[in-house]
Amino acid sequence: MAERYADVIVDISHEKVDRPFQYKIPQELSEAIYPGVRVRVPFGNGNKEKAGYVVDLSDRADYPEEKIKFITAVDEKGITAESSQIQIAYWLKRQYGSTMITALKTVLPVKRTLKDLEKKKVTACLGAEALAEAADQCERKHQAAKARVLRALTEEEVLPYELIRQKLNISPATLTALEKQGYLRVDTESVYRNPVKHVEGGEKRVCLGDDQKKIVEEVLRDYRSGNPRTYLIHGVTGSGKTEVYLGIIEEMIRMGKQAIVLIPEIALTYQTLLRFYKRFGERVSVINSSLSQGERYDQIRRAAAGELDVIIGPRSALFTPFPNLGIIIIDEEHEGSYKSESMPKYHARETAVHIASMHGACVVMGSATPSMEAYYRAKTGAYQLFEMPERHGSSTLPSVYIVDLREELKQGNRSVFSRKLHDLIEQRLHAGEQTMLFLNRRGYAGFVSCRACGHVMKCPHCDVSLSEHRNGMLVCHYCGYEEVRRADCPECGSRYLMGFRAGTEQIEEALHREFPAARVLRMDGDTTRKKESYEKILAAFADEKADILVGTQMIVKGHDFPNVTLVGILAADLSLNQNDYRAGERTFQLLTQAAGRAGRGGKPGEVVIQTYQPDHYSIVYAAAQDYQGFYEEEITYREFMQYPPVAHMMAVLITSGEQAVGKKICGQMVELVLRKREQDDKEGGIYQVIGPAEAAISRISDQYRHVFYVKHKDYDKLIEVKDILELFCREKENGIKNFTVQYDFDPMNTY
Ligand code: ADP
Ligand code: ZN
Ligand code: ZN
């Protein structure tokens, strides 16, 4: 394709990424112009020469040819720090589909005018013993927050203010009160004028085990020999992965390199952050959602200026513009939050690998339950695999019981708790130990199953469950198949055929009924709407202010409660019945992690999994904590159905205020894909096209949603398809724009 036009953003100010202007590329510069290059262009009526960045290339003029000016020259600065950010945005746009402006906004931080940030520290003014005594006193007076700070200070004399505020959930008023009482001091210093040196010592170093050492050494050896790779550490929680990350980062810093550490926000606990602060001091910074735009911008400026060595944060931390990036770490690699839900719908894993390759950096991922993607790539040699099968310390794997809920019903038990679970909860209440009850609520979307035999109503063509619609139909959201909702079970004739809905609130009520003396805490989307309450509920449970914690998947992540010896999973198969090819994987991950919550402190743990499908492989392998077994079975299914990671899949979602328009555009786009398939199949390309169909949620805010899917072994083929569809849309938009299109590559869920 002859690219004769360039989109240039003049004076890229991060304040608001402006609209690009189109320029002609002079013949003699055709080799030198590509996204990211700084150029000089004539601008405005006076044709004053200005600097700008090339952000996109095209072979089509968006305006009458004679109105388009020529680029004057490549700027003497040519490639700058912004250039590589623009290149990343360009890659995101191409790889995942979005406009260039949206991609740029994803990558570039929003600039705000701000005062120099002040960095605060909290320092203990008394010795550890005196503080512990004061903490005891506070506890007697039920001043839990005060006690929490004082205890933390007995372990660590100096703590970053932000850590105490955010992770220990302490208010400024509490800190002021403690300061007045003479227990601590809050110090303020301007980060820039007076960077604090990290005081070594105090921290007790672990001596890495042989398996840990082997990983650290191999990663560094590859890096030093100019062959940085992508590594996957498969290790249960507690096997020592974080120590490995710390070991590699330390060496990277010694070489003058920087590290990006991705940790899902929900797993970013006080303990984990503290380990990073202790090891790397003030040259660590954390990005999370409670930072303001200004604070975020500030962190990024510090990173670009070489004032930081390590940045920790969720997905977006990936775009930190370090001058000498050496490593990207992705902890809990399987987490769904690594995939962006807005355009461009990028996955942090793939994006990290790309960014690392731009910098000659390496990528290290870790998980107890790796995603099918990562493990498949490790098995097929794209990533290097390390296995760390054992836990450090004394804790052992819990005993797991599977309870068949069909049997419970047969025995006349209509409670949400099986008899086994009921007995074990009772035991815990007597013993003064804690219980976590986990409700797998992801499959909420109205699947229909038989409570007598467990039969689930499924599409005959797609191996996914049908969704119940208000109009009395059962619908497949993959292929559009429909059937009439019947009253009795086609397998056993029972009249107990029903849509399954049970919320955490009902569970809480049932607990109050069946265990009136138990103190219950509930955590779900409703109770944690306020940002702080999430940490508050967890802190209260950790302080043993409740016997039972009921919650959704939020409660299974990352947190260690040593007094929890029983975990109950109330309806393990709810997530199996999503209309979704990842349902088995997600169920396995959730169950394995939920089970891992039991018995983390020296006491042995027990886990009860309640299910209607006790023979389902996701449940059986999770109960046995058998990742390999699960992987083998799941990959066979993905291979058979040509689902990711074996092939690639692109979802195309069309939304429109007019149902007929959405349907028509969707149909036309599918036509285009089929035409391309015809052309390519001469070369032996194999496409699968699924749809068009109405999306599972067919209307949101009066926007109608239509969807289709394209599968192909080769990701680049899907990009070609996307480019054709984008062109089609641009031509349509020249008329009236009454629809929007979203692309989702290797989607985390179906639409
Ligand atoms: P993971 O990240 O896999 O959950 P961690 O690195 O957090 O595992 O290790 C779990 C616990 O074991 C931590 O308390 C850690 O300090 C300790 N630990 C890890 N490696 C060692 C080691 N080589 N020697 C002693 N303790 C270790
Ligand atoms: Zn039945
Ligand atoms: Zn179907």
Side-chain angles (χ1 to χ4, degrees), residues 450 452-453 455 489 491-494:
C450 171
C453 77
H455 176 77
C489 173
E491 285 297 306
C492 74
S494 151

Side-chain angles (χ1 to χ4, degrees), residues 220-236:
L220 289 169
R221 186 167 5 97
D222 290 348
Y223 183 80
R224 290 203 179 95
S225 65
N227 180 29
R229 297 195 56 190
T230 301
Y231 310 84
L232 171 66
I233 307 176
H234 174 214
V236 296

Side-chain angles (χ1 to χ4, degrees), residues 459 461-462 464 476 478-481:
C459 174
H461 306 296
C462 300
V464 296
C476 170
Y478 269 71
C479 72
Y481 168 86

Side-chain angles (χ1 to χ4, degrees), residues 145 148 164-171 532 535-536:
R148 227 164 30 245
I164 290 193
R165 284 279 291 115
Q166 293 170 16
K167 291 293 164 186
L168 286 184
N169 188 32
I170 305 297
S171 70
E532 281 176 7
E535 306 276 355
K536 253 184 208 156

Side-chain angles (χ1 to χ4, degrees), residues 210-278:
D210 286 344
D211 51 345
Q212 291 169 314
K213 237 187 253 159
K214 179 175 167 292
I215 301 174
V216 174
E217 279 165 10
E218 189 168 331
V219 172
L220 289 169
R221 186 167 5 97
D222 290 348
Y223 183 80
R224 290 203 179 95
S225 65
N227 180 29
R229 297 195 56 190
T230 301
Y231 310 84
L232 171 66
I233 307 176
H234 174 214
V236 296
T237 311
S239 59
K241 297 186 294 297
T242 306
E243 287 301 332
V244 171
Y245 307 150
L246 292 169
I248 303 172
I249 293 172
E250 188 161 44
E251 207 45 46
M252 284 286 175
I253 292 175
R254 207 162 285 154
M255 291 187 275
K257 306 292 174 184
Q258 296 94 33
I260 294 171
V261 182
L262 301 187
I263 299 181
E265 187 145 0
I266 205 155
L268 202 58
T269 59
Y270 172 78
Q271 290 301 336
T272 303
L273 281 184
L274 188 60
R275 283 165 81 181
F276 279 88
Y277 279 117
K278 274 180 168 177

